[in-house]
Amino acid sequence: MINTIDSYEKLLEVKMELEDRFGKISDEVEVYMYEEWFEKIAESLGITRVIQNDRLVEIELPAAISNNIKADKLFMEAYSINNKFKFRYFNKKIIISLPVKGLEKHFLYYLVPLLEKVEIN
């Protein structure tokens, strides 16, 4: 059931169904749901490089997407989600990083909505 999550609406639907069956779900289960959603987005965008450590998470968008993306919209979306997002352009690829220390929630709660907004020209 959780592996069917590919949108926010589907996440809410699965969450509601799980809570109907088992009661309130734990934060860990909800993060797992976001992980499944992230994996679907990463696969659809062709993201193959994700670095995560105790300081930050970093995602490298493939050159094909980086060179055809509406970067200005992505930057504005990132800022509206969390002003700690940072962007670099290296080897024709956009690298998105987010410091994980001091975040109110798990980094996936910020990263997934941002990647959902990736628009290609």
Side-chain angles (χ1 to χ4, degrees):
M1 175 185 314
I2 291 176
N3 65 351
T4 64
I5 296 171
D6 60 0
S7 67
Y8 187 66
E9 293 76 23
K10 188 67 176 178
L11 183 138
L12 291 177
E13 179 184 315
V14 170
K15 182 178 178 182
M16 189 181 328
E17 188 170 336
L18 287 173
E19 288 182 339
D20 282 347
R21 288 184 188 183
F22 307 109
K24 181 160 174 44
I25 63 168
S26 68
D27 291 341
E28 291 83 9
V29 171
E30 190 166 354
V31 168
Y32 176 63
M33 292 166 65
Y34 270 84
E35 285 175 9
E36 286 292 322
W37 184 12
F38 171 78
E39 288 176 12
K40 298 270 186 351
I41 295 169
E43 183 179 335
S44 72
L45 294 175
I47 295 171
T48 57
R49 186 168 173 267
V50 178
I51 297 173
Q52 177 189 349
N53 59 40
D54 61 338
R55 294 181 302 121
L56 64 86
V57 61
E58 189 171 86
I59 296 195
E60 183 179 278
L61 297 177
I65 290 182
S66 296
N67 294 321
N68 293 302
I69 199 168
K70 295 179 181 179
D72 57 337
K73 287 187 178 184
L74 184 64
F75 298 150
M76 295 303 291
E77 287 292 341
Y79 188 76
S80 71
I81 294 169
N82 189 305
N83 63 4
K84 294 182 181 183
F85 276 109
K86 295 189 181 355
F87 293 85
R88 291 182 299 149
Y89 188 74
F90 182 71
N91 285 341
K92 299 183 180 182
K93 298 175 184 174
I94 293 175
I95 300 167
I96 304 169
S97 63
L98 179 65
V100 295
K101 289 197 176 200
L103 293 177
E104 292 179 24
K105 300 185 245 178
H106 193 278
F107 68 84
L108 286 171
Y109 287 93
Y110 306 99
L111 196 55
V112 169
L114 177 62
L115 292 178
E116 277 282 292
K117 302 291 183 178
V118 170
E119 290 183 34
I120 302 169
N121 291 329

